[in-house]
Amino acid sequence: MSRPLVVLDPGHGGRDPGAVNELVGITEAQMTLDVCERAQALLSNCCEVVLTREKDCYVSLRARPGLANKLKADAFVSYHFNAGSSSKTALSFEGFTTPGQNRSDKLCQAILDAHGNLLPEQSLRADRSDLDDDKEANFAVIRGTHCPSCLIEGEFIHTIHGAELIKNDNKRQLMALAVALGVKKFLGLRSSSDRDRQDFDFLASIRVIEKELEALKKHL
């Protein structure tokens, strides 16, 4: 039996760095590639995973979904980091699908659920008007796919707190784990392998470290 094929799309790249936080020293293109590479590694035990780019290079909005269609992918996830005009924007994440109800909504919801559980310090920017959490937008990168697809905005990169969270290796690992767990749930794949247990052991250790740091701060 052939394994499911998933295409992960690190947003931007090359001459298009996406959103940039010069103060913290990170670009959207750098960070999205890192998250997608991590998610690829986490999914490799149960899926064939292809990235739309594997380095800092430009890939057109037509080529990204075109690759998924050419490979007859079972799922497509485009990963991004948000930007806004207010420096006071709270830590938050969101997901988008194209207008209308279809299987893309289930893919997006699964990733959003996992993200919220793994990164509780962030709030979900949701649209509940159609009884699920994803927002709807006619983005070209997901509009052009033939398979279930969604676009995830993992955090706001333009704020100091958002950029610091994105820059944190452990937090990006959790973002990648959310993508992996969401994709696995959508595809109906079990999460019982040694790799999955290692992922959850990693999460548990991060939780312990965070609690210890909080306790230390209270005594300073």
Side-chain angles (χ1 to χ4, degrees):
M1 183 177 178
S2 61
R3 304 201 306 171
L5 193 149
V6 178
V7 173
L8 301 180
D9 174 44
H12 308 279
R15 67 174 185 264
D16 174 21
V20 177
N21 190 312
E22 294 182 354
L23 188 61
V24 177
I26 58 174
T27 69
E28 184 178 3
Q30 292 172 328
M31 298 295 101
T32 57
L33 179 57
D34 181 86
V35 170
C36 287
E37 287 176 336
R38 292 168 185 264
Q40 181 183 36
L42 293 168
L43 285 166
S44 62
N45 65 323
C46 61
C47 301
E48 299 297 330
V49 185
V50 176
L51 302 186
T52 58
R53 64 181 180 91
E54 296 181 338
K55 58 184 180 180
D56 186 21
C57 62
Y58 177 79
V59 181
S60 72
L61 290 177
R62 175 178 290 186
R64 295 168 190 262
L67 177 62
N69 295 338
K70 179 180 179 181
L71 297 175
K72 298 182 180 179
D74 296 289
F76 175 91
V77 180
S78 186
Y79 211 90
H80 292 255
F81 288 108
N82 225 331
S85 58
S86 174
S87 61
K88 298 181 180 180
T89 304
L91 294 175
S92 54
F93 65 103
E94 58 191 345
F96 292 86
T97 59
T98 52
Q101 294 294 105
N102 52 56
R103 294 185 67 224
S104 295
D105 297 79
K106 293 183 178 180
L107 170 63
C108 192
Q109 188 66 56
I111 296 173
L112 294 177
D113 287 344
H115 189 119
N117 289 332
L118 293 168
L119 291 149
E121 65 268 40
Q122 291 179 279
S123 61
L124 171 63
R125 297 164 66 92
D127 173 12
R128 296 289 302 170
S129 62
D130 56 354
L131 303 182
D132 54 28
D133 291 328
D134 63 277
K135 297 182 176 183
E136 295 185 346
N138 226 356
F139 294 137
V141 73
I142 53 176
R143 184 181 68 232
T145 59
H146 298 161
C147 64
S149 59
C150 65
L151 185 149
I152 302 296
E153 298 274 11
E155 179 52 81
F156 279 86
I157 200 171
H158 75 286
T159 68
I160 293 298
H161 293 305
E164 290 292 352
L165 185 144
I166 295 167
K167 192 174 182 180
N168 185 300
D169 287 349
N170 293 334
K171 299 301 184 181
R172 291 199 309 281
Q173 184 71 13
L174 294 177
M175 292 175 186
L177 182 55
V179 172
L181 292 175
V183 167
K184 286 182 180 182
K185 181 178 180 181
F186 171 75
L187 295 174
L189 301 174
R190 292 184 179 181
S191 293
S192 58
S193 68
D194 290 339
R195 173 66 68 83
D196 290 314
R197 283 193 289 273
Q198 291 172 10
D199 297 339
F200 284 108
D201 288 343
F202 168 83
L203 172 59
S205 66
I206 293 301
R207 291 281 183 264
V208 170
I209 292 171
E210 288 179 340
K211 288 182 179 179
E212 290 177 348
L213 288 174
E214 289 176 4
L216 285 172
K217 287 179 181 179
K218 290 180 180 179
H219 290 87
L220 291 178

